[in-house]
Short mmCIF file of all heavy atoms in Angstrom, two decimals:
data_model
loop_
_atom_site.label_atom_id
_atom_site.label_comp_id
_atom_site.label_asym_id
_atom_site.label_seq_id
_atom_site.Cartn_x
_atom_site.Cartn_y
_atom_site.Cartn_z
N GLY A 1 -7.49 24.00 14.65
CA GLY A 1 -8.84 23.69 14.18
C GLY A 1 -9.73 24.85 14.52
O GLY A 1 -9.30 25.97 14.75
N GLN A 2 -11.05 24.59 14.58
CA GLN A 2 -12.01 25.66 14.81
C GLN A 2 -11.86 26.23 16.25
O GLN A 2 -12.02 27.43 16.47
CB GLN A 2 -13.42 25.19 14.57
CG GLN A 2 -14.48 26.28 14.59
CD GLN A 2 -15.84 25.79 14.22
OE1 GLN A 2 -16.02 24.60 13.92
NE2 GLN A 2 -16.81 26.67 14.22
N PHE A 3 -11.59 25.35 17.19
CA PHE A 3 -11.56 25.79 18.59
C PHE A 3 -10.23 25.55 19.29
O PHE A 3 -9.98 26.10 20.35
CB PHE A 3 -12.67 25.09 19.38
CG PHE A 3 -14.04 25.33 18.83
CD1 PHE A 3 -14.73 24.32 18.19
CD2 PHE A 3 -14.65 26.57 18.95
CE1 PHE A 3 -15.99 24.54 17.68
CE2 PHE A 3 -15.89 26.81 18.43
CZ PHE A 3 -16.58 25.78 17.79
N GLY A 4 -9.37 24.70 18.75
CA GLY A 4 -8.13 24.37 19.42
C GLY A 4 -6.93 24.60 18.51
O GLY A 4 -7.05 24.75 17.31
N GLU A 5 -5.75 24.65 19.13
CA GLU A 5 -4.52 24.80 18.37
C GLU A 5 -3.39 24.08 19.10
O GLU A 5 -3.45 23.85 20.31
CB GLU A 5 -4.18 26.27 18.15
CG GLU A 5 -3.92 27.05 19.42
CD GLU A 5 -3.59 28.52 19.14
OE1 GLU A 5 -3.14 28.82 18.03
OE2 GLU A 5 -3.75 29.33 20.06
N VAL A 6 -2.36 23.72 18.33
CA VAL A 6 -1.17 23.09 18.87
C VAL A 6 0.02 23.93 18.48
O VAL A 6 0.19 24.30 17.32
CB VAL A 6 -0.99 21.64 18.32
CG1 VAL A 6 0.25 21.00 18.91
CG2 VAL A 6 -2.22 20.80 18.63
N VAL A 7 0.84 24.28 19.47
CA VAL A 7 2.02 25.12 19.20
C VAL A 7 3.28 24.37 19.70
O VAL A 7 3.21 23.50 20.56
CB VAL A 7 1.92 26.49 19.89
CG1 VAL A 7 0.66 27.21 19.47
CG2 VAL A 7 1.97 26.34 21.43
N GLU A 8 4.39 24.73 19.11
CA GLU A 8 5.67 24.19 19.58
C GLU A 8 6.02 24.88 20.90
O GLU A 8 5.72 26.06 21.10
CB GLU A 8 6.74 24.47 18.53
CG GLU A 8 8.10 23.90 18.86
CD GLU A 8 9.13 24.19 17.80
OE1 GLU A 8 8.75 24.14 16.61
OE2 GLU A 8 10.30 24.44 18.14
N GLY A 9 6.62 24.10 21.79
CA GLY A 9 7.00 24.66 23.06
C GLY A 9 8.38 24.18 23.51
O GLY A 9 8.87 23.17 23.02
N LYS A 10 8.99 24.94 24.41
CA LYS A 10 10.24 24.54 25.04
C LYS A 10 9.98 24.44 26.53
O LYS A 10 9.46 25.38 27.12
CB LYS A 10 11.34 25.55 24.78
CG LYS A 10 11.61 25.87 23.29
CD LYS A 10 12.42 24.77 22.64
CE LYS A 10 12.83 25.18 21.20
NZ LYS A 10 13.62 24.15 20.53
N VAL A 11 10.34 23.30 27.13
CA VAL A 11 10.10 23.11 28.57
C VAL A 11 11.43 22.83 29.26
O VAL A 11 12.19 21.95 28.83
CB VAL A 11 9.13 21.92 28.81
CG1 VAL A 11 8.90 21.75 30.31
CG2 VAL A 11 7.81 22.17 28.10
N LEU A 12 11.66 23.57 30.30
CA LEU A 12 12.88 23.41 31.09
C LEU A 12 12.66 22.39 32.19
O LEU A 12 11.66 22.40 32.91
CB LEU A 12 13.29 24.76 31.71
CG LEU A 12 14.47 24.72 32.68
CD1 LEU A 12 15.75 24.51 31.91
CD2 LEU A 12 14.53 26.02 33.46
N GLY A 13 13.59 21.45 32.32
CA GLY A 13 13.55 20.50 33.42
C GLY A 13 12.55 19.38 33.31
O GLY A 13 12.24 18.74 34.31
N LEU A 14 12.02 19.15 32.14
CA LEU A 14 11.02 18.10 31.97
C LEU A 14 11.62 16.72 32.17
O LEU A 14 11.04 15.86 32.84
CB LEU A 14 10.37 18.22 30.59
CG LEU A 14 9.27 17.20 30.28
CD1 LEU A 14 8.09 17.37 31.20
CD2 LEU A 14 8.83 17.32 28.83
N LEU A 15 12.78 16.48 31.55
CA LEU A 15 13.44 15.19 31.65
C LEU A 15 14.51 15.17 32.74
O LEU A 15 14.65 14.19 33.47
CB LEU A 15 14.07 14.81 30.30
CG LEU A 15 13.09 14.73 29.12
CD1 LEU A 15 13.83 14.35 27.87
CD2 LEU A 15 11.99 13.72 29.42
N GLN A 16 15.24 16.27 32.84
CA GLN A 16 16.24 16.38 33.89
C GLN A 16 16.57 17.86 34.06
O GLN A 16 16.28 18.67 33.19
CB GLN A 16 17.49 15.58 33.56
CG GLN A 16 18.24 16.02 32.33
CD GLN A 16 19.37 15.10 31.95
OE1 GLN A 16 19.17 13.98 31.49
NE2 GLN A 16 20.59 15.55 32.17
N GLN A 17 17.20 18.17 35.17
CA GLN A 17 17.49 19.57 35.49
C GLN A 17 18.43 20.19 34.43
O GLN A 17 19.36 19.55 33.93
CB GLN A 17 18.14 19.66 36.85
CG GLN A 17 18.29 21.10 37.36
CD GLN A 17 18.83 21.16 38.77
OE1 GLN A 17 19.32 20.14 39.28
NE2 GLN A 17 18.78 22.31 39.40
N ASN A 18 18.12 21.47 34.11
CA ASN A 18 18.94 22.22 33.14
C ASN A 18 18.94 21.63 31.74
O ASN A 18 19.91 21.83 31.00
CB ASN A 18 20.38 22.37 33.66
CG ASN A 18 20.46 23.28 34.87
OD1 ASN A 18 19.48 23.99 35.18
ND2 ASN A 18 21.58 23.25 35.57
N VAL A 19 17.92 20.89 31.40
CA VAL A 19 17.74 20.36 30.03
C VAL A 19 16.44 20.91 29.47
O VAL A 19 15.41 20.89 30.14
CB VAL A 19 17.71 18.84 30.00
CG1 VAL A 19 17.37 18.32 28.61
CG2 VAL A 19 19.09 18.29 30.43
N VAL A 20 16.50 21.43 28.26
CA VAL A 20 15.34 21.99 27.59
C VAL A 20 14.81 20.98 26.59
O VAL A 20 15.56 20.44 25.76
CB VAL A 20 15.68 23.30 26.87
CG1 VAL A 20 14.51 23.79 26.06
CG2 VAL A 20 16.12 24.35 27.89
N THR A 21 13.52 20.68 26.66
CA THR A 21 12.89 19.69 25.77
C THR A 21 11.91 20.37 24.84
O THR A 21 11.10 21.20 25.27
CB THR A 21 12.13 18.63 26.61
OG1 THR A 21 13.05 18.04 27.54
CG2 THR A 21 11.56 17.56 25.71
N THR A 22 11.98 20.05 23.56
CA THR A 22 11.01 20.54 22.62
C THR A 22 9.74 19.67 22.67
O THR A 22 9.84 18.43 22.60
CB THR A 22 11.56 20.52 21.19
OG1 THR A 22 12.74 21.31 21.13
CG2 THR A 22 10.56 21.08 20.19
N VAL A 23 8.60 20.29 22.80
CA VAL A 23 7.35 19.56 23.00
C VAL A 23 6.26 20.20 22.10
O VAL A 23 6.48 21.23 21.48
CB VAL A 23 6.88 19.63 24.47
CG1 VAL A 23 7.88 18.96 25.38
CG2 VAL A 23 6.60 21.07 24.90
N ALA A 24 5.11 19.55 22.08
CA ALA A 24 3.92 20.12 21.46
C ALA A 24 2.94 20.49 22.60
O ALA A 24 2.76 19.73 23.53
CB ALA A 24 3.26 19.14 20.51
N VAL A 25 2.37 21.67 22.48
CA VAL A 25 1.44 22.15 23.52
C VAL A 25 0.05 22.38 22.90
O VAL A 25 -0.09 23.18 21.96
CB VAL A 25 1.96 23.47 24.16
CG1 VAL A 25 0.98 23.92 25.27
CG2 VAL A 25 3.37 23.29 24.70
N LYS A 26 -0.95 21.66 23.41
CA LYS A 26 -2.31 21.80 22.87
C LYS A 26 -3.13 22.67 23.83
O LYS A 26 -3.07 22.50 25.05
CB LYS A 26 -2.96 20.43 22.72
CG LYS A 26 -4.31 20.47 22.00
CD LYS A 26 -4.76 19.09 21.60
CE LYS A 26 -5.98 19.15 20.72
NZ LYS A 26 -6.42 17.82 20.24
N MET A 27 -3.89 23.58 23.27
CA MET A 27 -4.71 24.52 24.05
C MET A 27 -5.94 24.91 23.28
O MET A 27 -6.09 24.62 22.08
CB MET A 27 -3.88 25.74 24.39
CG MET A 27 -3.51 26.59 23.18
SD MET A 27 -2.31 27.90 23.54
CE MET A 27 -0.81 26.90 23.68
N LEU A 28 -6.84 25.56 23.97
CA LEU A 28 -8.06 26.07 23.32
C LEU A 28 -7.84 27.46 22.76
O LEU A 28 -7.02 28.24 23.29
CB LEU A 28 -9.22 26.09 24.31
CG LEU A 28 -9.72 24.74 24.82
CD1 LEU A 28 -10.80 24.94 25.87
CD2 LEU A 28 -10.24 23.86 23.67
N LYS A 29 -8.59 27.81 21.72
CA LYS A 29 -8.56 29.16 21.19
C LYS A 29 -9.58 30.02 21.94
O LYS A 29 -10.43 29.51 22.69
CB LYS A 29 -8.85 29.14 19.69
CG LYS A 29 -7.80 28.37 18.90
CD LYS A 29 -8.23 28.12 17.48
CE LYS A 29 -8.18 29.36 16.62
NZ LYS A 29 -8.46 29.03 15.20
N ASN A 30 -9.52 31.32 21.74
CA ASN A 30 -10.43 32.22 22.46
C ASN A 30 -11.90 31.98 22.10
O ASN A 30 -12.79 32.32 22.88
CB ASN A 30 -10.07 33.69 22.15
CG ASN A 30 -8.74 34.07 22.75
OD1 ASN A 30 -8.32 33.50 23.75
ND2 ASN A 30 -8.06 35.05 22.15
N SER A 31 -12.17 31.39 20.94
CA SER A 31 -13.54 31.18 20.50
C SER A 31 -14.16 29.88 21.04
O SER A 31 -15.22 29.47 20.60
CB SER A 31 -13.58 31.14 18.97
OG SER A 31 -12.69 30.13 18.47
N HIS A 32 -13.52 29.26 22.01
CA HIS A 32 -13.99 27.95 22.49
C HIS A 32 -15.29 28.10 23.33
O HIS A 32 -15.66 29.19 23.77
CB HIS A 32 -12.90 27.31 23.36
CG HIS A 32 -12.69 28.00 24.67
ND1 HIS A 32 -11.74 28.97 24.84
CD2 HIS A 32 -13.31 27.89 25.88
CE1 HIS A 32 -11.76 29.41 26.08
NE2 HIS A 32 -12.72 28.76 26.73
N THR A 33 -15.91 26.96 23.53
CA THR A 33 -17.10 26.87 24.38
C THR A 33 -16.78 26.01 25.60
O THR A 33 -15.71 25.37 25.66
CB THR A 33 -18.27 26.24 23.62
OG1 THR A 33 -17.94 24.88 23.29
CG2 THR A 33 -18.56 27.01 22.33
N ASP A 34 -17.73 25.93 26.54
CA ASP A 34 -17.53 25.03 27.65
C ASP A 34 -17.43 23.58 27.21
O ASP A 34 -16.66 22.79 27.79
CB ASP A 34 -18.72 25.16 28.65
CG ASP A 34 -18.66 26.43 29.47
OD1 ASP A 34 -17.64 27.15 29.37
OD2 ASP A 34 -19.61 26.71 30.19
N ALA A 35 -18.16 23.22 26.17
CA ALA A 35 -18.08 21.83 25.64
C ALA A 35 -16.70 21.52 25.10
O ALA A 35 -16.19 20.42 25.29
CB ALA A 35 -19.11 21.64 24.53
N ASP A 36 -16.04 22.52 24.50
CA ASP A 36 -14.67 22.30 24.02
C ASP A 36 -13.71 22.09 25.21
O ASP A 36 -12.80 21.27 25.12
CB ASP A 36 -14.20 23.49 23.18
CG ASP A 36 -15.11 23.73 21.97
OD1 ASP A 36 -15.50 22.74 21.34
OD2 ASP A 36 -15.44 24.89 21.71
N MET A 37 -13.94 22.83 26.26
CA MET A 37 -13.10 22.66 27.44
C MET A 37 -13.28 21.28 28.05
O MET A 37 -12.31 20.61 28.42
CB MET A 37 -13.47 23.73 28.49
CG MET A 37 -12.62 23.66 29.75
SD MET A 37 -10.86 24.00 29.39
CE MET A 37 -10.18 23.89 31.04
N VAL A 38 -14.51 20.81 28.11
CA VAL A 38 -14.78 19.45 28.61
C VAL A 38 -14.06 18.43 27.75
O VAL A 38 -13.44 17.50 28.25
CB VAL A 38 -16.29 19.18 28.64
CG1 VAL A 38 -16.57 17.69 28.83
CG2 VAL A 38 -16.97 19.98 29.74
N ASN A 39 -14.12 18.59 26.44
CA ASN A 39 -13.44 17.67 25.54
C ASN A 39 -11.93 17.64 25.73
O ASN A 39 -11.29 16.57 25.71
CB ASN A 39 -13.74 18.02 24.08
CG ASN A 39 -15.12 17.58 23.65
OD1 ASN A 39 -15.72 16.69 24.26
ND2 ASN A 39 -15.67 18.21 22.63
N LEU A 40 -11.34 18.83 25.93
CA LEU A 40 -9.89 18.88 26.13
C LEU A 40 -9.48 18.22 27.46
O LEU A 40 -8.47 17.51 27.51
CB LEU A 40 -9.41 20.35 26.08
CG LEU A 40 -7.88 20.54 26.09
CD1 LEU A 40 -7.25 19.88 24.88
CD2 LEU A 40 -7.54 22.02 26.11
N VAL A 41 -10.26 18.44 28.50
CA VAL A 41 -9.99 17.79 29.79
C VAL A 41 -10.16 16.28 29.65
O VAL A 41 -9.35 15.51 30.20
CB VAL A 41 -10.90 18.35 30.90
CG1 VAL A 41 -10.70 17.57 32.20
CG2 VAL A 41 -10.61 19.83 31.14
N MET A 42 -11.17 15.85 28.91
CA MET A 42 -11.35 14.42 28.69
C MET A 42 -10.16 13.82 27.95
O MET A 42 -9.70 12.73 28.30
CB MET A 42 -12.64 14.18 27.87
CG MET A 42 -13.91 14.33 28.67
SD MET A 42 -14.20 12.92 29.77
CE MET A 42 -14.66 11.66 28.58
#
């Protein structure tokens, strides 16, 4: 979107040791504001 993005991710050990899980990772873009950060934490 204008301030946030979702990317595919791989996480090691999320469910069990030595297992890689495909996940979605949501984060802010560089153009974000403090209000966007508050929203993401909320």
Side-chain angles (χ1 to χ4, degrees):
Q2 188 174 0
F3 302 108
E5 62 180 337
V6 180
V7 303
E8 182 179 324
K10 305 282 188 180
V11 181
L12 175 71
L14 181 64
L15 300 180
Q16 64 187 72
Q17 189 176 12
N18 291 346
V19 172
V20 175
T21 304
T22 302
V23 299
V25 182
K26 189 168 188 176
M27 66 190 74
L28 294 176
K29 298 169 72 173
N30 291 334
S31 56
H32 70 267
T33 64
D34 284 353
D36 301 317
M37 182 63 179
V38 167
N39 283 338
L40 188 60
V41 174
M42 283 286 286

